[in-house]
Amino acid sequence: MRQASFAFVILRSPFSFKAIKEPNRRVCMGVQPACAETRGDGIVMAIPNSLARAAKNAVETSALLRDAPRTATKQKAQLRRYEVSTLMENGDVVQTRHIAPALQVFEDAFCAFTRGSLVETETGPMAIEDLLPGDTVLTQNGRSETVLWKGSVTLIPGREDSRGRTRPLTRIMADTFGMQKPMSGVIAGPAARLLATPGHLRHLHGGGPVLTPIHEFQDGTSVVETLPPTPVELFHICLKRHAVINVDGLQFETYHPGLNAVRRISHSLRSIYLNLFAHIDSLNDFGPLALPRAGDGEVDAITA
């Protein structure tokens, strides 16, 4: 006759604790339903189903928490330091430092020319970093105009900002636009505009002269984009009226916010923006554009 094997089943619950002699099998006993499993030493431990379900739910919940998307935190607006030199009405040159938003409408007032760019003045070519308000520069029509304002900013073109935006520079090889145009290699900032028209934009403005963003000339050979990973100092200048000046043998515009400045600059930022220009009181003081622009709403290079 075969003898049945026996094991002790220990049941634990908030309501009972007892040991009983039962055949070696899975059992469920107690006030709360429990599942018992045999250990190697023959002892069968009973675990309440509620605890088993809780453990399972905890594992599933942990997985959900790991996979749950994190709440996107609103990034703070990035700020930048801008250096400004202004010719005041009494003839003094005042240098100021401003902390303002790193927005394109602000940066465009500072990001046209790199250090070493040679500006044609009455006394000959002068490096942009040495040019000061009060100096006179030669314009496209041969007139001498006084520099009223010069701004500079230092940034890393290849580093993305909080919006994922970079500020690429444009390298122009010597003689790209003709003999000594430019005289040597030139690196222009993202806000530079050149008095020339690339082939794909010649249908604009009836084929007349247009101030074109420098990046529109990039062809991958003579005019190429460059994104230095190190800090670069950039400059721009402002005259009493918008004009075209000679820089390194090429004709670039002086600073002007554009005809759509009122729409581009919100009312809340307008006072911060105007504080950068001590020589003017309102956007209208910049005067009219000397020539039409491609893009920027003056002559739309995208939809035309």
Side-chain angles (χ1 to χ4, degrees):
M1 180 180 293
R2 298 176 62 183
Q3 294 182 345
S5 59
F6 294 89
F8 284 95
V9 179
I10 300 177
L11 297 180
R12 292 177 180 172
S13 76
F15 307 100
S16 63
F17 179 86
K18 58 183 178 180
I20 61 175
K21 195 173 183 180
E22 282 287 335
N24 189 14
R25 55 191 174 87
R26 287 180 66 88
V27 297
C28 291
M29 298 184 64
V31 177
Q32 294 183 347
C35 291
E37 295 185 359
T38 305
R39 298 187 334 191
D41 54 5
I43 300 297
V44 178
M45 301 298 296
I47 303 175
N49 283 337
S50 59
L51 296 180
R53 287 197 304 270
K56 181 180 178 181
N57 291 340
V59 172
E60 293 175 351
T61 303
S62 298
L64 289 174
L65 291 176
R66 286 194 301 269
D67 298 336
R70 297 182 180 180
T71 303
T73 57
K74 187 176 180 180
Q75 295 179 335
K76 295 182 179 179
Q78 185 178 356
L79 300 177
R80 203 178 294 287
R81 185 178 69 184
Y82 300 97
E83 306 283 347
V84 171
S85 299
T86 308
L87 178 65
M88 307 305 290
E89 291 183 357
N90 60 5
D92 293 339
V93 174
V94 177
Q95 296 182 340
T96 55
R97 179 177 296 173
H98 303 258
I99 303 298
L103 301 175
Q104 183 175 345
V105 68
F106 285 82
E107 293 175 347
D108 282 353
F110 299 81
C111 295
F113 310 114
T114 58
R115 177 177 286 271
S117 299
L118 298 177
V119 181
E120 194 67 34
T121 70
E122 280 189 333
T123 58
M126 181 180 296
I128 185 68
E129 63 269 23
D130 297 328
L131 194 68
L132 291 175
D135 292 335
T136 55
V137 297
L138 299 179
T139 64
Q140 174 201 18
N141 54 19
R143 298 176 57 184
S144 296
E145 296 288 345
T146 302
V147 177
L148 300 182
W149 181 95
K150 186 179 83 168
S152 67
V153 66
T154 299
L155 50 79
I156 301 177
R159 176 183 294 175
E160 292 185 352
D161 61 14
S162 58
R163 297 174 176 81
R165 177 178 59 104
T166 58
R167 298 293 274 163
L169 308 180
T170 300
R171 181 186 294 274
I172 307 171
M173 307 305 176
D175 302 330
T176 295
F177 296 95
M179 185 65 68
Q180 295 188 339
K181 294 182 179 181
M183 295 180 288
S184 59
V186 173
I187 299 179
R193 287 177 179 269
L194 187 64
L195 183 59
T197 308
H200 65 285
L201 297 180
R202 285 178 183 165
H203 63 284
L204 298 177
H205 200 63
V210 176
L211 293 166
T212 308
I214 194 66
H215 63 81
E216 293 287 353
F217 296 93
Q218 293 175 5
D219 58 10
T221 305
S222 300
V223 185
V224 296
E225 178 184 285
T226 178
L227 288 164
T230 54
V232 175
E233 189 174 14
L234 296 163
F235 303 85
H236 216 332
I237 62 173
C238 191
L239 310 180
K240 185 176 181 180
R241 289 290 181 266
H242 183 236
V244 175
I245 59 175
N246 190 305
V247 181
D248 286 311
L250 299 177
Q251 293 181 320
F252 288 94
E253 71 167 354
T254 59
Y255 178 68
H256 191 291
L259 300 181
N260 294 317
V262 174
R263 292 197 295 268
R264 294 180 63 202
I265 306 173
S266 65
H267 184 74
S268 59
L269 293 177
R270 196 166 302 172
S271 60
I272 300 175
Y273 173 82
L274 289 175
N275 282 340
L276 299 173
F277 304 93
H279 66 291
I280 64 171
D281 297 319
S282 69
L283 292 173
N284 292 330
D285 292 338
F286 283 104
L289 287 172
L291 292 164
R293 282 174 163 177
D296 197 28
E298 283 76 18
V299 179
D300 197 335
I302 298 176
T303 61

